[in-house]
Amino acid sequence: MPSLDMLAELIPIFVTLFVIVDPLGLVPVFIVLTQGTNAAHRRRMAVRACITSFLILATFAVVGESVLGIFGIHMPAFRISGGTLLFLIALEMLFERRSQKRNQRAEQVHQELEDEHDLDQQIEASKPAQDEEEPDDISIFPMSIPFLAGPGSIATVMLLMGRYQDSVVMQVSVVAVVGLVMLCALTMFLLSGIVAKRLSPTVATVISRLLGMILAALAIQFIIDGIKQAFF
């Protein structure tokens, strides 16, 4: 069982990853992208997207620093640049730009998928009748990449792994927390209809801005740590 000191470390890790992945903010996106599909398809897309995202983030957690080393990039520089990226994401959350961009992107992808489906239907109309076509697979793109396992999530995981580079236990814990966040995302996707009805726009805005403030503070801390390690 984790000690109190370890829990004190794990809670900020969970909050940071939860804010960056933003499962609550992705619920409307998931609803838009799976509109008109049956429950089995939505469940399959949710499970596949979360598993794929976990594998992507876990891979970058394990080999990310080695990849940076190939390009001659050291962790202090990555902490400063990654912290800056997270700070920009926090500003978007504070001013409600992040959710707007995600919803616009989701609508755009949904429209593109509908256009492709209409074109396929026109082509199939001239062919002999076949079994009902499987709905479009949105689990890898765009749900996993770039929504769940985007640049912000990847940078955050690598920053957290770099912070605990001297502790294998904490690095394993970081990967475990990634799995927990993906489990939270999976639960919200599976209950997307209920979550969307219960979560009013006002409450969602308040939560987003509060989490944005926390993320901004954490981002500044990453930048400070990078500057200290690089110059002092």
Side-chain angles (χ1 to χ4, degrees):
M1 185 173 179
S3 64
L4 291 178
D5 291 339
M6 190 174 180
L7 284 175
E9 294 282 348
L10 292 177
I11 291 173
I13 293 172
F14 175 81
V15 171
T16 304
L17 286 170
F18 189 88
V19 171
I20 287 295
V21 175
D22 192 16
L24 278 174
L26 286 174
V27 168
V29 174
F30 183 77
I31 291 174
V32 169
L33 293 175
T34 57
Q35 187 176 1
T37 62
N38 57 42
H41 176 76
R42 291 194 297 273
R43 183 168 57 250
R44 189 162 57 252
M45 292 300 99
V47 171
R48 191 177 299 169
C50 291
I51 291 176
T52 302
S53 300
F54 171 75
L55 293 176
I56 291 171
L57 294 178
T59 300
F60 274 97
V62 174
V63 303
E65 189 171 352
S66 299
V67 172
L68 291 178
I70 294 174
F71 296 99
I73 302 171
H74 300 289
M75 280 308 295
F78 188 75
R79 283 195 178 98
I80 295 171
S81 61
T84 303
L85 172 63
L86 298 185
F87 185 75
L88 293 175
I89 293 174
L91 289 180
E92 289 187 344
M93 293 180 68
L94 287 171
F95 294 103
E96 280 297 295
R97 294 176 185 169
R98 192 186 191 200
S99 59
Q100 291 174 6
K101 287 181 179 179
R102 277 181 167 175
N103 291 336
Q104 289 172 0
R105 179 57 177 158
E107 290 286 356
Q108 180 184 353
V109 172
H110 182 60
Q111 186 60 47
E112 290 173 355
L113 292 174
E114 281 192 339
D115 292 341
E116 289 179 3
H117 183 67
D118 292 340
L119 181 60
D120 290 340
Q121 282 185 330
Q122 292 175 8
I123 295 173
E124 292 294 329
S126 59
K127 297 180 179 179
Q130 296 177 354
D131 294 336
E132 186 176 347
E133 188 179 351
E134 180 74 13
D136 293 305
D137 188 338
I138 51 88
S139 61
I140 307 301
F141 175 82
M143 282 311 303
S144 181
I145 303 170
F147 289 144
L148 285 168
S153 303
I154 292 171
T156 302
V157 168
M158 291 175 63
L159 287 169
L160 291 170
M161 292 294 283
R163 172 182 283 183
Y164 300 110
Q165 58 188 355
D166 296 327
S167 174
V168 176
V169 173
M170 285 304 301
Q171 288 188 331
V172 172
S173 299
V174 169
V175 176
V177 171
V178 171
L180 180 59
V181 171
M182 289 304 155
L183 184 61
C184 292
L186 175 61
T187 302
M188 291 180 188
F189 292 160
L190 294 178
L191 302 176
S192 55
I194 298 173
V195 173
K197 290 177 182 177
R198 300 284 183 178
L199 191 66
S200 69
T202 302
V203 174
T205 300
V206 171
I207 292 174
S208 177
R209 290 184 174 176
L210 286 174
L211 294 178
M213 285 291 295
I214 295 172
L215 180 60
L218 291 168
I220 294 297
Q221 188 60 55
F222 279 128
I223 294 172
I224 292 172
D225 291 344
I227 292 173
K228 284 182 177 178
Q229 191 173 358
F231 300 106
F232 301 101

